[in-house]
Amino acid sequence: MYDDAELSRDATYFERALGEAVLAKAIQPAFQPIVHLRTGEISSFEVLARWQHPRLGNVNPSLFISTAERVGLIGELTSQLIRSACSSALRCGGDFRLAINISPFHFQQGEMPDLFEDAVNASGFPLDRTQIEITENAVIDDAEAARATIDLLREKGVRIVLDDFGTGYSSLTRLQALPFDKIKIDASFVRTMCEVRDSRKIVSAVIGLGHSLGMPVVAEGVETEAQADMLTRLGCDLGQGWLFGRPVQAEAIPALLLVRGQKPQDTLPEDLSINQRLAHLEAVYAVAPVGLCFIDKRLHIQQANQRFAKILERGFEAVVGQPISAILPGIADQLASESRAPSLGRDLLSYQLRLSGGRGLMEVNIAPALDEKGEFLGFSLALEPKRSDMDMLGVVQCAT
Ligand code: G
Ligand code: G
Ligand code: MN
């Protein structure tokens, strides 16, 4: 019914229409379920603004949100959406959370936390059942101020979710410094993760990152069973997307709760299975400049990166699944005695190996791998060509 070019030509018409829509409270919330990937139970609903205009049709939220920011209507529009969404949600019963998007510009305004709290309170919906979704852009300009806002909201029980993660420019330092409750992997990575290895690596790395910082991870834009399966295998906690449900009107919420069940509590990341660890290891270190492998308790190589095989001048298939004694015989005995009585508190075991055939000196670092409960799982091994042959201490001759 309209295109963006037409709208920019007719910006005044659009701004006036938006002003009228805000006045008439014509922009209304839709609700999209966010589910626990393992069980399908509903954790929360994301509130998505919907504007159906008689001449413009369905207007894209990105367009009217940015216009609302520009013309100073974002505060009023957001408050309206919150009041409407919270009152409808309250009538649905249940104890799911509501996730509300706050635009970066709005987030940075000092009055936002009060406006947010007032709007939620006006509906009678409990503040501690709300969460705010913000993108990296909201915290990039002034990290101190962002921190203060986040702390203030969290003290009131509001959860903070980092939205669209992977598309912005925030450094890991910033992510670590801000107390987010969850991170959401951007849909663009999820969409291509089954076909594009790089997307899969990013998805896996973000899950690992979130978990290592103690945060559950949400994947958005999940459209297929294959994506959901892969995400579950990678240990992702929550999912959102057409596979689990499109955005719906509030009236449809009770039936969804009935069919799927609900579980508002987050399960904090715990106990990764060994396969999840390996998937992370593989994804994150696929391009690492060192050879890496994981050796299980039976002293077989469970997983390795390409570099590991390359350093040993073997095919990948000729490495994975093999006993370590067939690959690096020089250290097999040490590992065998170590695995019988793993010295779990101990630091890395370091060896230097000279590979046969003039392939030079290698530095080998081995660490016992433990699960969260301290149970011994095997060893991770890093293999790196040594630059200098000067340090010959403790060289083990190793014929491979
Ligand atoms: O609703 P989708 O269906 O098309 O939304 C497009 C974009 O607009 C998404 O990035 C979404 O986060 C954003 N969006 C939707 N509703 C709101 C809202 O109420 N406030 C803000 N700030 N962004 C919203
Ligand atoms: O940026 P944000 O996460 O807030 O964006 C949510 C947007 O993603 C909304 O526009 C919503 O309509 C859209 N969306 C939700 N699930 C899916 C999905 O499975 N596929 C696609 N293509 N879009 C989705
Ligand atoms: Mn969002």
Side-chain angles (χ1 to χ4, degrees):
M1 293 179 83
Y2 69 95
D3 59 37
D4 292 358
E6 197 183 320
L7 276 184
S8 54
R9 253 182 278 121
D10 209 353
T12 2
Y13 176 81
F14 188 68
E15 286 168 18
R16 205 174 55 241
L18 179 62
E20 286 162 6
V22 171
L23 211 61
K25 300 189 168 51
I27 301 179
Q28 285 296 322
F31 301 81
Q32 188 178 31
I34 300 174
V35 307
H36 293 268
L37 280 169
R38 279 175 189 284
T39 62
E41 292 164 299
I42 290 175
S43 151
S44 52
F45 285 88
E46 178 173 3
V47 176
L48 293 163
R50 292 293 178 255
W51 181 21
Q52 170 84 46
H53 184 270
R55 218 193 100 203
L56 300 171
N58 269 322
V59 189
N60 184 338
S62 315
L63 200 60
F64 64 77
I65 295 291
S66 57
T67 305
E69 288 184 329
R70 200 176 61 245
V71 302
L73 284 173
I74 190 68
E76 174 56 25
L77 173 57
T78 308
S79 292
Q80 274 185 19
L81 282 165
I82 296 170
R83 279 195 299 267
S84 170
C86 288
S87 342
S88 302
L90 199 58
R91 284 195 299 274
C92 294
D95 51 7
F96 57 88
R97 288 176 168 274
L98 269 190
I100 292 144
N101 290 286
I102 298 291
S103 74
F105 171 84
H106 189 36
F107 185 81
Q108 288 166 344
Q109 296 182 321
E111 67 195 22
M112 189 278 294
D114 282 341
L115 287 184
F116 183 85
E117 188 174 5
D118 290 348
V120 176
N121 286 343
S123 70
F125 193 80
L127 204 55
D128 65 7
R129 280 177 58 194
T130 63
Q131 53 195 30
I132 285 182
E133 295 196 2
I134 52 173
T135 60
E136 293 163 60
N137 296 337
V139 299
I140 214 148
D141 294 333
D142 187 344
E144 298 260 308
R147 169 87 207 211
T149 305
I150 291 174
D151 285 344
L152 182 68
L153 289 162
R154 288 182 89 231
E155 272 164 33
K156 299 176 195 292
V158 182
R159 303 292 171 95
I160 313 289
V161 180
L162 182 60
D163 203 357
D164 300 343
F165 185 69
T167 57
Y169 299 95
S170 58
S171 64
L172 295 183
T173 331
R174 176 169 286 117
L175 179 63
Q176 207 158 5
L178 292 171
F180 294 109
D181 293 285
K182 274 173 233 177
I183 43 183
K184 248 187 178 184
I185 310 175
D186 190 66
S188 58
F189 304 115
V190 175
R191 192 172 305 125
T192 53
M193 69 181 292
C194 290
E195 294 79 35
V196 183
R197 192 169 148 79
D198 280 347
S199 299
R200 190 152 65 245
K201 277 191 268 178
I202 290 171
V203 169
S204 176
V206 173
I207 295 168
L209 180 71
H211 287 180
S212 67
L213 296 173
M215 293 182 286
V217 178
V218 190
E220 64 183 2
V222 183
E223 293 182 0
T224 67
E225 290 286 355
Q227 291 163 348
D229 285 351
M230 188 175 288
L231 287 161
T232 311
R233 259 187 291 130
L234 290 173
C236 190
D237 308 274
L238 299 156
Q240 175 180 10
W242 295 347
L243 179 67
F244 310 114
R246 302 217 172 207
V248 295
Q249 300 299 299
E251 291 67 40
I253 290 179
L256 286 176
L257 295 175
L258 210 61
V259 171
R260 289 193 164 269
Q262 49 185 328
K263 181 174 173 243
Q265 308 82 10
D266 287 322
T267 332
L268 284 176
E270 27 142 345
D271 233 19
L272 295 187
S273 78
I274 195 157
N275 284 327
Q276 288 164 5
R277 279 166 198 283
L278 290 173
H280 289 156
L281 183 76
E282 184 190 23
V284 178
Y285 292 107
V287 292
V290 290
L292 290 170
C293 76
F294 183 83
I295 302 162
D296 65 20
K297 284 196 274 198
R298 295 154 42 240
L299 302 183
H300 282 61
I301 297 182
Q302 266 258 355
Q303 189 55 275
N305 67 357
Q306 296 287 352
R307 176 72 62 127
F308 182 82
K310 201 157 164 230
I311 290 174
L312 295 171
E313 297 180 349
R314 291 182 182 228
F316 191 70
E317 307 69 20
V319 168
V320 173
Q322 296 298 312
I324 191 71
S325 56
I327 305 294
L328 291 171
I331 57 166
D333 286 346
Q334 283 100 321
L335 281 192
S337 64
E338 189 67 25
S339 73
R340 278 191 295 274
S343 47
L344 300 181
R346 204 156 94 195
D347 288 334
L348 288 175
L349 305 166
S350 277
Y351 303 100
Q352 297 192 4
L353 293 183
R354 182 171 292 286
L355 299 185
S356 62
R359 281 175 291 161
L361 198 59
M362 298 285 147
E363 176 150 334
V364 186
N365 286 300
I366 300 170
L370 312 180
D371 71 13
E372 264 79 2
K373 297 196 182 87
E375 193 190 323
F376 176 66
L377 298 172
F379 300 97
S380 56
L381 181 153
L383 187 63
E384 208 173 353
K386 195 125 174 74
R387 300 235 171 269
S388 142
D389 272 15
M390 297 298 282
D391 179 8
M392 298 289 284
L393 224 75
V395 173
V396 183
Q397 288 297 325
C398 175
T400 65

